[in-house]
Amino acid sequence: MRALRRRAGPTRTAAAQAAGMDRSFHKEVEAAVHSVPVDRIPALAKALGVQPELLQDHDEE
């Protein structure tokens, strides 16, 4: 997910805010410590400019 964010351009803070997540939690999602909460996938996908399915695929890796 980190690579997707970097390609899309938003900072970790901006991506976290767009998805309604705390920045520290978003950092742990990027580090694969936590999964993206299902209810946050659409907003995070929009912030990253990708289809929600793409995040779900990355979440399972």
Side-chain angles (χ1 to χ4, degrees), residues 6 11 17-18 35-36 45-46 49 51-52:
R6 287 182 176 164
T11 63
Q17 288 176 343
S35 297
V36 177
K46 184 176 179 181
Q51 295 296 314

Side-chain angles (χ1 to χ4, degrees), residues 7-48:
R7 275 184 277 186
T11 63
R12 182 178 289 135
T13 300
Q17 288 176 343
M21 289 193 264
D22 180 82
R23 183 185 182 280
S24 63
F25 182 77
H26 184 273
K27 180 179 179 180
E28 291 176 350
V29 167
E30 283 192 354
V33 173
H34 298 291
S35 297
V36 177
V38 174
D39 63 329
R40 302 295 181 202
I41 289 174
L44 185 56
K46 184 176 179 181
L48 299 178

